[in-house]
Amino acid sequence: MLNEVVVLEQEATGVQIPGGNAITLPEGSRIYITQMLGNSITAATDIGLVRISRDEADRLGITPKEEEPSTLPPDASLEDRIWDTLKAIYDPEIPVDIVNLGLVYGVEVITHENGKSHIHILMTLTAPGCGMGPHLMAEAETRALALDGVETVDVEFVWDPPWNQEMMTEEAKMTLGLI
């Protein structure tokens, strides 16, 4: 379905990119799927780019590419598992995950007496005014909370240092044709 036009057979909900506003696409809308990565798809519509969740895409009969299974060993640390799960979150406009894009500045694991952990994720965005920030933040929190041993999560956005292309991994730069 990637790079194909799809005519919606039923109403669909999504998030406008980059504004971050919730929208409803009416039945019969034509969408052009531009990206199927992580837990969502990105589609071009008559009103611009829209991010559609995996659950909504499944409901519509549009199945995003399955996520790559983790290559971490079973005894990987919680911090390594957090970093790994964050690699499954993709920027809706750029086909690179938020870790390789350089948006995640740090992960702190604080283990409580009950053996459960609090996770503090420090991240940024490619631009301070990006309306997708709350959506990326919520996905990071949801994914981290789903891991065994995690009790609470907070995601903090920071703007210092400001993000720039030099923060991307070599892999990300190669994906984007920058090297």
Side-chain angles (χ1 to χ4, degrees), residues 38-89:
N39 212 27
S40 65
I41 68 170
T42 298
T45 71
D46 291 339
I47 59 169
L49 289 177
V50 174
R51 183 176 192 235
I52 299 172
S53 72
R54 176 176 290 277
D55 290 342
E56 184 70 352
D58 286 344
R59 187 183 70 77
L60 297 168
I62 304 168
T63 307
K65 178 181 165 187
E66 287 299 316
E67 292 182 20
E68 296 291 325
S70 175
T71 57
L72 291 178
D75 61 344
S77 70
L78 180 55
E79 182 175 349
D80 287 344
R81 290 186 292 131
I82 297 290
W83 282 101
D84 189 57
T85 200
L86 294 175
K87 284 183 180 178
I89 302 171

Side-chain angles (χ1 to χ4, degrees), residues 3-46:
N3 296 324
E4 288 184 23
V5 174
V6 174
V7 177
L8 298 179
E9 295 179 4
Q10 55 188 306
E11 188 175 85
T13 60
V15 176
Q16 209 168 13
I17 302 168
N21 307 313
I23 62 159
T24 301
L25 299 169
E27 178 182 337
S29 295
R30 295 168 55 92
I31 65 172
Y32 180 80
I33 299 171
T34 60
Q35 180 171 291
M36 298 177 84
L37 298 166
N39 212 27
S40 65
I41 68 170
T42 298
T45 71
D46 291 339

